[in-house]
Amino acid sequence: MAIDIRTLEERYISSCRRHHVLPNPAILAVLFKAKIKKTCHELCSLEISLDHLKETDFPPLLDLCMDLDASEIEAVDIHNESLYALDGNYALLLMHAINQKLRVVDLHDLSFGKDFLRDLSQRGLTCQVLTLRSSHFRKLNMMGEFMRIHTLNLDFSSSLTSFQEDCFTCMPNLMCLSLCDTRISNLWTTFAALSKLPSLVELRFQNWSCCNDVGPYSASSSGKSDDKTDSNQPNSVDYGGQLSINVRDVTNQNSSTEQGLRNLFLINNVVINDDVQSMAEDSSDDSDLYFSNPLQEHGSVELLSNVFAGGNRQVNPQNEASFDNLQNQNEEEPLEGVFTKHIGDVALTYISYHASPICFEKHYREYMIASLPHLRLLDNLPIRKIDQERATIKFSEYFENLPYRRKHKENVVHMLQKREIRASQTHAQSHRQKTSNIYGKSQYFYTRSLCAAKMGSSAWPFLHPLSVSGSNLGGESRSFRPRQFEYHPSDSSLMVFGTLDGEVIVVNHENGKIVSYIPSLGAMNSVLGLCWLKKYPSKLIAGSDNGSLKLYDIHQMRSTIAGIYSGAGSVTFDDFDQLTSVHVNFTDELFLASGYSRDVALYDISSGRRLQVFTDMHQEHINVVKFANHSPSLFATSSFDQDVKMWDLRQKPIRPCYTSLSSRGNVMVCFSPDDHYLLVSAVDNEVRQLLAVDGRLHLNFEIASTGSSQNYTRSYYMNGRDYIISGSCDEHVVRICCAQTGRRLRDISLEGGGGSRSSMFVQSLRGDPFREFNMSILAAYMRPRSRSEIFKVNMIASIDYAKEHLDGQQSKEFYRNTTTLAFHLTCLILASLA
């Protein structure tokens, strides 16, 4: 027989006596309310507020919880509101003692600290609804067992930026997830994490709300007002232990558009009379919804105060987007965080509140709908069949799921087996016989397919800093401040980087060992220009911002700072004031220098002389000058005057071969490896690909701008000319796009130390010329006195494997080996045969 509530109360009072504490009136009141509910035939539940508990109250309360499983109590809810600093260990002990009858946990995480959050994530909970407002999560890693949870609310977790790969694997029943007002921004890693949730049907990164509502979070799903208000932040969503709406009723795949609209009204607590319903039925052909980008994260409160003038809830026309204007001429998403839906003569205006940065990504809604086909609601709005169809079309137009246009994930071992079968079949055939189509795939095809298969299983790239700091240089421990770097053109293990202190360091980037070290000796400031010679692979040109230009032979340079630098093996050229860029031509005979001027200087490498200065080549200073890869006389310049120009030394460059105009100042230009294209990067993510032959536009990558005139963008080719990588100095993300279609393949997000990812920005980047889908990124920190770092990125290696099984030197060896596909795939085949 179940223990009744009166007996529980008596046992609690008795336990208080044993522990020499007075019974807590709040606990007695909770038990009394439970008795009332039992009498009224309501759900017999306990609602425990941690705000009313002291540490001395927990021992008798834990004793009480031990009897709950055998009692009349059907459910226990735990919540807190204040920021009173309670020991998180007591809260965890209480929740675990309640065990299977724990239903709702609604906590303000700032009250308990990071240790509480770590322990909760690792141990798990038996609750069905978990709300952690303003949590300390930075990278979500809830690896404990949460087998019963169906609703998780992490709204206002302003430190939360990303997910661990397997953070949701222990939540098989999670149906509703809310992540409003977080700092999550990466579409690809977010999808990879959410794809581990087989039951997920409702997802929120922002809250679309009808302006007829009292407020963005004015009501819970049950329709009751939410009076739990923190003066420092908006109210969190109260799911009340249930989904916010009946998903099956709202988004039945066979339901009509009219029914979907009725349910959309219901979501936003709008009452529809019969006349309005009939108007909806008569306007079914015009009932498609179009969604805008949300309000800026840090400006939503200010904008809303303008939208709702004087609190009378009337919409400011300047912030209203009519149905007819929801798409611009290019059929892109509108730019305002407001949209209006007309049904007959009724206009409903919806506004986005508390949007996470991911909502600002171009085609965010279509990406999520296409990637998560089981979703039924996204950001409080239902997903209809027409939405899914539109999302599928948009996804295929703007995104690549896998590289090289592969449609489906392929098994790596299976691909290797097909390659080996082809090789054996080809060997067995007579030389007179033609290879059949089934075995006619080239080695190039299999390399691409294997890359696609690996990337399909690695949403999280293996990213780690180049470990040169702390290297022993003549007995002195040093760390460096890199400012520019270049891969070696013929030695896959070498990289050179120049520092803000004028040093030039050649390093084996596979093991972190320094090969050559060239001190500044007061002759250089920041090294901004670096270029290897191709025919003489031990030599390189280095230029600094004070105009110094030198040629070095690394075979004659010391690998430590011990001893006196004599300058042997170096050649000094005439200075080029305020230098920013140097580049050597295809034959290693000439090099060009540009800087904060409108001039370009031409140097002869063999004689060490400056041959000529070409003046007034642009109207403003020239950021970058680049020779073609296969023509020793052709070169391109890019300038802040918005022009990119092609020049030919054979024509004595008085006038350019052609000029291409950008809409903003140009930061970067480079030739594709085969010289067919020019890749042009202008301020604030304006990235275009031109035909090198005449400068015509071949492709506009349409990367979203930030609105910042200081967001300097740099882009380079990767994997030959197959893909481009692009990063900007106001952003912490590197974008990988197909160079033939412009479709986005992945974003690589940088995470800085100390938990503030946005404190990092991309200063420079290069694709690894020897390894598919590998690159290095020079990232700088905005914090004062913080050093910059070079990060190595391997997009086809597993970051979790490296973290869990390797460290130190093993991790470096792992990085080198996994970039060699033959080695990696041989290991996989051996494992499959074992």
Side-chain angles (χ1 to χ4, degrees):
M1 184 175 178
I3 301 173
D4 59 29
I5 299 175
R6 181 181 298 276
T7 303
L8 287 177
E9 183 178 5
E10 292 172 353
R11 292 184 180 182
Y12 169 68
I13 294 172
S14 176
S15 179
C16 288
R17 292 195 190 100
R18 291 197 306 273
H19 291 284
H20 306 289
V21 296
L22 292 175
N24 188 308
I27 300 300
L28 295 177
V30 165
L31 292 170
F32 177 75
K33 289 180 181 179
K35 284 190 287 187
I36 300 298
K37 292 177 183 178
K38 183 69 175 177
T39 302
C40 297
H41 304 289
E42 298 177 2
L43 179 71
C44 186
S45 64
L46 300 181
E47 298 181 7
I48 300 175
S49 173
L50 299 181
D51 299 331
H52 302 138
L53 300 180
K54 303 184 295 293
E55 292 181 1
T56 54
D57 293 322
F58 278 91
L61 181 57
L62 292 175
D63 290 344
L64 171 66
C65 292
M66 296 300 178
D67 296 325
L68 290 180
D69 282 343
S71 71
E72 295 178 335
I73 301 298
E74 298 175 75
V76 179
D77 299 341
I78 294 179
H79 64 88
N80 83 317
E81 292 298 325
S82 71
L83 297 181
Y84 168 69
L86 180 69
D87 190 336
N89 289 327
Y90 285 110
L92 281 173
L93 285 172
L94 177 61
M95 289 184 283
H96 287 294
I98 295 170
N99 201 11
Q100 296 297 314
K101 293 195 175 178
L102 184 63
R103 183 180 61 161
V104 176
V105 175
D106 185 350
L107 301 178
H108 198 301
D109 179 52
L110 292 175
S111 306
F112 305 104
K114 296 181 180 179
D115 291 340
F116 164 80
L117 199 62
R118 184 188 64 249
D119 293 343
L120 183 149
S121 300
Q122 292 177 353
R123 295 180 60 185
L125 284 177
T126 59
C127 63
Q128 300 175 43
V129 178
L130 176 60
T131 298
L132 294 173
R133 288 165 288 148
S134 305
S135 73
H136 290 287
F137 281 120
R138 184 172 70 90
K139 194 168 188 177
L140 195 62
N141 187 25
M142 302 184 74
M143 300 299 294
E145 289 194 2
F146 296 86
M147 304 303 290
R148 299 176 66 228
I149 189 171
H150 61 69
T151 300
L152 177 62
N153 188 328
L154 297 174
D155 290 347
F156 313 114
S157 298
S158 58
S159 298
L160 181 57
T161 59
S162 59
F163 305 94
Q164 290 283 4
E165 187 168 1
D166 296 322
C167 67
F168 291 127
T169 53
C170 295
M171 299 183 185
N173 298 305
L174 186 68
M175 300 178 68
C176 184
L177 176 62
S178 188
L179 294 159
C180 299
D181 210 356
T182 65
R183 291 178 58 199
I184 294 169
S185 61
N186 192 301
L187 289 171
W188 288 265
T189 55
T190 299
F191 155 66
L194 297 180
S195 65
K196 307 293 177 64
L197 294 170
S199 303
L200 185 67
V201 291
E202 181 175 352
L203 176 64
R204 261 205 318 230
F205 288 102
Q206 61 185 323
N207 181 48
W208 283 107
S209 181
C210 181
C211 67
N212 292 342
D213 292 348
V214 177
Y217 290 134
S218 60
S220 68
S221 58
S222 61
K224 297 178 182 179
S225 63
D226 186 357
D227 58 357
K228 301 175 182 178
T229 303
D230 188 327
S231 60
N232 296 323
Q233 67 179 32
N235 297 338
S236 62
V237 180
D238 179 12
Y239 287 111
Q242 300 178 359
L243 289 173
S244 58
I245 63 172
N246 188 324
V247 175
R248 292 183 181 85
D249 292 343
V250 173
T251 58
N252 187 327
Q253 294 298 319
N254 297 319
S255 66
S256 65
T257 303
E258 299 83 29
Q259 183 62 38
L261 283 171
R262 294 192 194 99
N263 291 325
L264 184 57
F265 278 91
L266 295 175
I267 293 172
N268 292 280
N269 303 317
V270 179
V271 179
I272 308 177
N273 58 33
D274 292 338
D275 294 337
V276 175
Q277 290 187 22
S278 63
M279 284 190 290
E281 293 169 357
D282 293 338
S283 60
S284 59
D285 292 338
D286 300 321
S287 61
D288 290 349
L289 290 176
Y290 296 88
F291 305 102
S292 73
N293 287 334
L295 305 178
Q296 291 294 332
E297 178 182 9
H298 300 294
S300 58
V301 176
E302 291 81 357
L303 181 53
L304 290 174
S305 65
N306 296 327
V307 172
F308 299 127
N312 61 3
R313 316 304 292 180
Q314 294 182 357
V315 179
N316 186 332
Q318 294 180 353
N319 292 320
E320 180 178 338
S322 69
F323 180 78
D324 295 332
N325 297 322
L326 282 174
Q327 289 181 310
N328 62 25
Q329 294 178 354
N330 295 323
E331 298 184 356
E332 298 296 343
E333 295 175 342
L335 299 178
E336 296 296 331
V338 181
F339 74 85
T340 299
K341 177 60 188 171
H342 291 274
I343 303 178
D345 296 329
V346 178
L348 296 176
T349 300
Y350 289 82
I351 300 177
S352 168
Y353 296 85
H354 310 300
S356 296
I358 194 172
C359 303
F360 300 103
E361 289 293 323
K362 208 168 187 178
H363 309 297
Y364 143 78
R365 183 172 177 86
E366 289 82 3
Y367 181 93
M368 284 297 174
I369 293 174
S371 301
L372 299 169
H374 298 298
L375 275 186
R376 296 295 174 263
L377 287 101
L378 179 60
D379 301 331
N380 276 8
L381 296 175
I383 299 170
R384 301 158 300 155
K385 186 174 182 179
I386 191 173
D387 299 324
Q388 293 176 327
E389 293 171 350
R390 182 186 296 121
T392 301
I393 295 172
K394 285 282 188 181
F395 186 95
S396 63
E397 183 177 354
Y398 293 103
F399 299 99
E400 276 193 2
N401 186 36
L402 294 170
Y404 300 118
R405 306 186 188 186
R406 299 303 192 267
K407 299 297 184 182
H408 307 287
K409 290 183 181 180
E410 297 180 89
N411 183 276
V412 177
V413 175
H414 179 60
M415 286 301 306
L416 186 58
Q417 288 172 337
K418 288 202 297 186
R419 188 184 69 174
E420 296 304 316
I421 292 172
R422 170 188 172 272
S424 62
Q425 290 283 344
T426 302
H427 180 73
Q429 286 177 344
S430 168
H431 289 289
R432 296 184 214 171
Q433 291 178 314
K434 290 186 177 181
T435 306
S436 63
N437 289 336
I438 193 169
Y439 298 117
K441 308 289 188 182
S442 67
Q443 183 61 39
Y444 191 48
F445 168 84
Y446 283 104
T447 300
R448 286 184 163 193
S449 296
L450 291 168
C451 284
K454 279 300 298 174
M455 187 173 291
S457 60
S458 303
W460 282 262
F462 179 33
L463 185 151
H464 69 97
L466 178 62
S467 300
V468 179
S469 62
S471 297
N472 190 282
L473 302 173
E476 181 181 349
S477 180
R478 289 285 310 276
S479 62
F480 300 104
R481 301 191 298 159
R483 177 57 184 85
Q484 189 59 277
F485 73 96
E486 294 286 349
Y487 283 102
H488 196 282
S490 57
D491 189 332
S492 63
S493 67
L494 293 186
M495 173 191 291
V496 61
F497 66 88
T499 71
L500 291 168
D501 303 306
E503 304 153 303
V504 177
I505 297 100
V506 179
V507 61
N508 184 323
H509 63 87
E510 293 176 350
N511 59 26
K513 293 182 179 179
I514 291 178
V515 176
S516 295
Y517 173 81
I518 304 166
S520 64
L521 297 178
M524 285 191 167
N525 292 327
S526 297
V527 176
L528 299 181
L530 290 168
C531 189
W532 291 96
L533 275 63
K534 302 171 185 65
K535 293 185 177 180
Y536 306 96
S538 66
K539 296 182 179 181
L540 62 93
I541 301 284
S544 70
D545 59 0
N546 69 352
S548 175
L549 276 166
K550 289 182 179 291
L551 180 145
Y552 296 104
D553 189 333
I554 64 173
H555 288 168
Q556 300 184 40
M557 302 294 128
R558 298 177 181 270
S559 61
T560 71
I561 63 173
I564 299 175
Y565 174 69
S566 64
S570 67
V571 176
T572 301
F573 299 90
D574 291 344
D575 287 358
F576 188 93
D577 290 340
Q578 296 182 302
L579 180 145
T580 60
S581 171
V582 297
H583 202 244
V584 179
N585 75 344
F586 172 63
T587 58
D588 286 351
E589 297 172 343
L590 307 170
F591 78 88
L592 294 166
S594 66
Y596 287 104
S597 72
R598 296 179 293 179
D599 306 335
V600 170
L602 177 67
Y603 294 83
D604 180 78
I605 293 177
S606 61
S607 66
R609 293 187 304 110
R610 183 166 62 193
L611 300 179
Q612 194 172 354
V613 177
F614 307 115
T615 59
D616 296 326
M617 302 188 83
H618 284 267
Q619 297 301 309
E620 295 189 33
H621 75 260
I622 299 168
N623 283 313
V624 169
V625 58
K626 291 285 186 181
F627 270 113
N629 294 305
H630 301 285
S631 175
S633 59
L634 288 176
F635 67 94
T637 55
S638 66
S639 168
F640 269 138
D641 65 4
Q642 303 182 11
D643 284 341
V644 169
K645 298 182 179 183
M646 181 72 78
W647 308 86
D648 192 336
L649 291 175
R650 294 168 297 186
Q651 299 177 359
K652 296 183 180 180
I654 299 173
R655 58 177 57 89
C657 303
Y658 60 78
T659 299
S660 177
L661 179 66
S662 302
S663 65
R664 306 182 184 99
N666 293 304
V667 180
M668 182 68 205
V669 65
C670 66
F671 286 82
S672 63
D674 58 8
D675 286 344
H676 285 187
Y677 302 107
L678 281 178
L679 185 62
V680 180
S681 309
V683 171
D684 203 18
N685 293 327
E686 182 184 337
V687 182
R688 300 176 302 135
Q689 186 168 253
L690 311 178
L691 294 174
V693 66
D694 56 12
R696 284 179 298 158
L697 178 66
H698 173 258
L699 188 62
N700 188 337
F701 290 92
E702 299 183 355
I703 301 173
S705 61
T706 65
S708 169
S709 62
Q710 308 298 314
N711 190 31
Y712 303 121
T713 302
R714 296 168 176 86
S715 306
Y716 288 87
Y717 286 96
M718 182 178 69
N719 294 12
R721 73 174 195 187
D722 294 335
Y723 289 88
I724 67 117
I725 53 177
S726 182
S728 301
C729 70
D730 275 356
E731 299 177 271
H732 62 269
V733 62
V734 172
R735 301 171 177 93
I736 298 95
C737 301
C738 177
Q740 299 306 309
T741 65
R743 293 198 292 257
R744 189 91 65 86
L745 175 64
R746 290 287 189 278
D747 284 357
I748 306 296
S749 300
L750 300 176
E751 296 189 20
S756 180
R757 186 172 64 174
S758 62
S759 65
M760 299 184 73
F761 60 88
V762 179
Q763 196 163 26
S764 190
L765 70 169
R766 300 288 189 278
D768 191 320
F770 301 97
R771 301 166 175 87
E772 300 284 308
F773 294 108
N774 279 251
M775 72 184 81
S776 290
I777 303 167
L778 176 60
Y781 294 81
M782 294 182 182
R783 297 192 303 271
R785 294 189 297 274
S786 294
R787 62 187 179 90
S788 54
E789 288 185 278
I790 297 175
F791 287 87
K792 298 184 67 177
V793 181
N794 186 340
M795 297 177 64
I796 58 175
S798 169
I799 183 174
D800 285 338
Y801 177 85
K803 285 184 175 181
E804 292 175 11
H805 301 285
L806 305 172
D807 55 27
Q809 186 62 31
Q810 286 181 315
S811 183
K812 295 174 187 174
E813 294 294 329
F814 169 81
Y815 180 90
R816 183 177 75 248
N817 290 334
T818 52
T819 56
T820 304
L821 278 172
F823 174 89
H824 188 67
L825 295 169
T826 301
C827 291
L828 288 171
I829 265 292
L830 291 175
S832 69
L833 296 176

